[in-house]
Amino acid sequence: MKKLMNAPEQYTDDMLRGIYAAHPDCVKDTAGDLRCYCSAKKKPGKVAIITGGGTGHLPLFLGYVGRGMLDGCGVGGVFQSPSAEQIFNVTKEVEAGAGVLYLYGNYTGDIMNFDMAAEMCELEDIPTRSIVGADDVLSSQSVENRRGVAGIFFLYKCAGAAADQMKSLDEVLAVAQKAKDRTRTVGFALSPCIIPEVGKPNFELQNGEMAMGMGIHGEPGIWTGPLKTANELAKESLEALLGDLPVPQGGQVALLVNGLGATSQEELYILSGAVSALLGEKGIGIHRTFVGEYATSMEMAGASVSLLHLDEELKALLDAPAHTPFYTQI
Amino acid sequence: MKKLMNAPEQYTDDMLRGIYAAHPDCVKDTAGDLRCYCSAKKKPGKVAIITGGGTGHLPLFLGYVGRGMLDGCGVGGVFQSPSAEQIFNVTKEVEAGAGVLYLYGNYTGDIMNFDMAAEMCELEDIPTRSIVGADDVLSSQSVENRRGVAGIFFLYKCAGAAADQMKSLDEVLAVAQKAKDRTRTVGFALSPCIIPEVGKPNFELQNGEMAMGMGIHGEPGIWTGPLKTANELAKESLEALLGDLPVPQGGQVALLVNGLGATSQEELYILSGAVSALLGEKGIGIHRTFVGEYATSMEMAGASVSLLHLDEELKALLDAPAHTPFYTQI
């Protein structure tokens, strides 16, 4: 294991100290707990959106806390859920009188702890709603059982813009639900990553091998085999995406080509170019293309492709400005 | 070699196709050559700033072409220089009547081709000035012989802002020179990268080994040995930086912690937190911290630390807004 760190058990908190030191105008901790991560700015009367999840996926999850996106994040250890108490402490700090949307990924531990936090909120008369990202098409046939991966960025962006426009809690939830219903992701891994406290790779791939559909924690995919070309992967990914979420000719999408960590930006653009060309052949318009690291697994190599099937409402929300320490859109 | 690509010989052009497809409002090619990379917008009467260099360092070099930064970039193959003709074609497309600054890294092939392009400009009465980034402290005792690495971002940002404020060619050059004189970088590698057309790692490091001072193409460093902790690396890097460019107590710097490709953002923040703490102990203020991938070597693991010793002029230029497909600052 070669990582820039001091000790495995300090990994998450040392990272958080670095983030707070780098961006003191944007973010702060609360309740004396580094892992209770909050926007430094509060907009009275705005619905607060709170996410949470394990460390190791930057810019997920905390990286989207900022103007026009999220208000707070419960930060777990590497690949671990934040506690219900941490989520509740973040909630108390950032809620601004209009209720709270919990928006996070579809993982058992996170669901349990967010649900417990929601119960704690109920006792204090803070209204909450919850929705989980579950965009990973190849993780399950059933939508309810799918993992949440990079496509949650679209949910953050659209729901965050709606909240920033002072929509009500149920309106913000409806936007998140619509973005969820119209977002799909396909991902594939080329190499594993190493959890600092474990010290060895979380799965194995041979030379020249890849795993289609593998999850961001190394969850099994649908096939493991020889590495395909970017054009082949673009074709296979789009078939899975559009097979699950048909987009008519003349329809418009947002495209997100996300790197899992070690894959270079050069390669991500080679892949996004291939996906763009195929969408063009199908007569599907791309309103906006996002390429880069949006949801990673530390130093895992690989990528994911997400589509959001746009309508006029989602297009306007996606285009609204946003500013966080990890993501700025003008 | 595991890369998302179609064929090694298509790597650079496939990447460029992807970038143009993703960002059609921002950038375009010219002269029928994908590698002649230009801003899609021209501001009459503004000094044009042009850079260039090999593929494999995204967001360097082309990633900084956009509003408030650069106007064009000659794009070479992986780790290769663009041709003089390509640089000249970019120049003809983006020059806007106020002359052209060539601002690029201190590499022999690049210098030769930019100098030839400048001669071609002279024949067409386009005034040019040239300056090379040479910030890599550990690459040579003599400043003239140092390589240009991630610190060139500060030169782009400050000179780009000065040009955007409609300063004259010599004024923009003076800003770039001042930023150069006050910028230093120290870098270290934890793993090699693979040039697509070569197919094997460009150097070797054993398990648990790192190379301090190694260049972004694998040029030799000052020592190879066991991986140090983030705190130790922060201390050693700062000693080299401040030993070469003393910053007085009460002075202010911009800090850039840059990932070379495969190193996770989590690790970069662990490192930047350690550097921040040490600067605080020395009574040196950090005006702005930049953490992320600014100059990479594809999938190389490692990082660099750059400091820009600020004065009031550079601070204002650094804080000016900028917007490119790879970098947005508000």
Side-chain angles (χ1 to χ4, degrees):
Chain A
M1 173 170 55
K2 281 189 191 177
K3 289 182 190 276
L4 299 177
M5 61 180 181
N6 293 308
E9 62 276 15
Q10 291 169 239
Y11 187 88
T12 296
D13 290 340
D14 278 356
M15 170 199 81
L16 284 166
R17 283 186 200 96
I19 294 173
Y20 292 122
H23 311 293
D25 298 339
C26 297
V27 291
K28 62 175 187 181
D29 60 356
T30 191
D33 183 346
L34 288 170
R35 300 185 182 199
C36 295
Y37 185 95
C38 304
S39 172
K41 284 155 196 156
K42 199 163 171 173
K43 195 168 172 181
K46 188 184 91 69
V47 169
I49 307 179
I50 295 172
T51 194
T55 292
H57 303 299
L58 282 181
L60 272 187
F61 296 88
L62 61 83
Y64 299 110
V65 171
R67 186 162 55 77
M69 294 189 83
L70 310 177
D71 299 280
C73 179
V75 181
V78 175
F79 294 2
Q80 294 173 350
S81 297
S83 72
E85 192 185 1
Q86 287 167 330
I87 297 163
F88 179 60
N89 284 334
V90 170
T91 306
K92 282 195 294 186
E93 177 63 32
V94 304
E95 70 90 13
V100 176
L101 180 65
Y102 287 156
L103 170 47
Y104 58 99
N106 192 17
Y107 296 93
T108 311
D110 294 316
I111 293 172
M112 192 178 71
N113 290 335
F114 271 98
D115 283 352
M116 277 175 58
E119 287 172 25
M120 293 157 86
C121 289
E122 206 177 336
L123 296 176
E124 303 216 2
D125 290 324
I126 303 170
T128 63
R129 301 285 184 278
S130 291
I131 182 169
V132 293
D135 50 314
D136 193 351
V137 171
L138 299 179
S139 61
S140 173
Q141 293 280 344
S142 115
V143 175
E144 298 78 55
N145 295 333
R146 288 179 181 168
R147 296 183 294 256
V149 287
I152 200 169
F153 167 76
F154 289 139
L155 280 64
Y156 290 159
K157 182 69 195 65
C158 294
D164 203 41
Q165 293 167 8
M166 306 305 274
K167 305 266 191 208
S168 72
L169 181 55
D170 283 320
E171 288 169 328
V172 174
L173 174 64
V175 163
Q177 183 68 51
K178 190 203 264 189
K180 172 179 175 171
D181 293 342
R182 299 167 75 110
T183 294
R184 296 291 186 281
T185 298
V186 164
F188 38 87
L190 274 63
S191 78
C193 64
I194 297 177
I195 297 174
E197 299 210 41
V198 175
K200 57 186 177 58
N202 59 345
F203 58 86
E204 280 191 24
L205 283 173
Q206 302 305 311
N207 277 342
E209 246 185 17
M210 64 174 286
M212 171 60 72
M214 175 165 274
I216 54 176
H217 309 105
E219 300 93 337
I222 57 165
W223 59 258
T224 297
L227 178 61
K228 297 190 176 185
T229 67
N231 286 343
E232 288 165 345
L233 290 169
K235 186 160 180 286
E236 183 166 342
S237 299
L238 269 188
E239 278 168 6
L241 291 166
L242 296 174
D244 201 74
L245 176 81
V247 177
Q249 201 176 351
Q252 285 219 308
V253 296
L255 167 63
L256 167 59
V257 175
N258 169 61
L260 295 183
T263 292
S264 70
Q265 292 186 56
E266 286 81 2
E267 293 166 74
L268 298 179
Y269 274 103
I270 290 171
L271 179 62
S272 78
V275 174
S276 296
L278 289 172
L279 287 170
E281 286 172 17
K282 291 175 194 296
I284 296 172
I286 306 176
H287 176 66
R288 198 180 262 264
T289 305
F290 303 82
V291 181
E293 293 183 354
Y294 287 77
T296 64
S297 290
M298 297 182 288
E299 76 281 12
M300 192 187 289
S304 65
V305 180
S306 304
L307 292 183
L308 166 60
H309 181 197
L310 292 166
D311 66 3
E312 290 307 311
E313 180 188 29
L314 292 177
K315 201 186 287 187
L317 293 167
L318 194 70
D319 287 345
H323 177 52
T324 85
F326 292 77
Y327 183 75
T328 301
Q329 182 180 317
I330 58 171
Chain B
M1 173 171 54
K2 281 189 191 177
K3 289 182 190 277
L4 298 177
M5 62 180 180
N6 292 307
E9 62 276 14
Q10 291 170 237
Y11 187 88
T12 297
D13 290 341
D14 279 356
M15 170 199 80
L16 284 166
R17 283 187 199 96
I19 294 173
Y20 292 122
H23 310 294
D25 299 339
C26 296
V27 292
K28 61 175 187 181
D29 60 356
T30 192
D33 183 346
L34 289 171
R35 300 183 183 198
C36 295
Y37 185 96
C38 303
S39 172
K41 285 155 197 156
K42 199 164 170 170
K43 194 168 171 182
K46 188 186 89 70
V47 170
I49 307 180
I50 294 172
T51 194
T55 292
H57 304 299
L58 282 181
L60 273 188
F61 296 89
L62 60 83
Y64 300 111
V65 171
R67 186 162 55 77
M69 295 190 82
L70 310 177
D71 299 280
C73 178
V75 181
V78 175
F79 293 2
Q80 294 174 351
S81 297
S83 72
E85 192 185 3
Q86 287 167 330
I87 297 162
F88 179 60
N89 284 333
V90 170
T91 307
K92 282 194 296 186
E93 177 62 31
V94 305
E95 70 90 15
V100 176
L101 180 65
Y102 288 157
L103 169 48
Y104 57 99
N106 192 18
Y107 296 93
T108 312
D110 294 316
I111 293 171
M112 192 177 72
N113 291 334
F114 271 97
D115 283 353
M116 281 176 58
E119 287 173 24
M120 295 158 85
C121 289
E122 205 177 337
L123 296 175
E124 303 215 3
D125 291 324
I126 302 170
T128 63
R129 301 285 185 279
S130 291
I131 182 169
V132 293
D135 49 313
D136 193 351
V137 171
L138 299 180
S139 61
S140 174
Q141 293 279 342
S142 115
V143 174
E144 299 79 52
N145 294 333
R146 288 179 181 168
R147 298 182 293 258
V149 287
I152 200 170
F153 167 76
F154 289 139
L155 281 64
Y156 290 158
K157 183 68 195 66
C158 294
D164 202 42
Q165 293 168 9
M166 307 305 275
K167 305 266 191 209
S168 72
L169 180 55
D170 283 320
E171 289 169 330
V172 174
L173 174 64
V175 163
Q177 184 67 52
K178 190 202 265 188
K180 173 180 174 171
D181 293 342
R182 299 168 74 111
T183 294
R184 297 293 187 279
T185 298
V186 163
F188 39 87
L190 275 61
S191 79
C193 65
I194 298 177
I195 298 174
E197 299 211 40
V198 175
K200 57 186 177 59
N202 59 344
F203 58 86
E204 281 192 22
L205 283 173
Q206 303 306 311
N207 277 343
E209 247 186 16
M210 64 172 286
M212 172 59 73
M214 175 163 276
I216 54 175
H217 308 106
E219 300 93 337
I222 58 165
W223 60 257
T224 296
L227 177 61
K228 297 190 175 184
T229 67
N231 286 343
E232 288 165 346
L233 289 169
K235 186 161 181 286
E236 182 165 342
S237 299
L238 269 188
E239 277 167 7
L241 291 166
L242 296 174
D244 202 73
L245 176 81
V247 176
Q249 201 176 352
Q252 285 219 308
V253 296
L255 167 64
L256 166 60
V257 175
N258 169 60
L260 294 183
T263 292
S264 70
Q265 292 186 57
E266 286 81 2
E267 293 166 74
L268 298 179
Y269 273 103
I270 290 172
L271 180 61
S272 78
V275 174
S276 297
L278 289 172
L279 286 170
E281 286 171 18
K282 291 177 193 299
I284 296 172
I286 306 175
H287 176 65
R288 200 181 261 266
T289 305
F290 303 83
V291 181
E293 292 183 357
Y294 287 77
T296 64
S297 290
M298 298 183 288
E299 75 281 11
M300 192 187 289
S304 65
V305 180
S306 303
L307 292 184
L308 167 60
H309 181 197
L310 293 165
D311 66 3
E312 291 306 312
E313 182 188 28
L314 293 176
K315 201 187 285 188
L317 293 166
L318 194 71
D319 287 345
H323 177 52
T324 85
F326 291 78
Y327 184 75
T328 300
Q329 182 181 317
I330 58 171

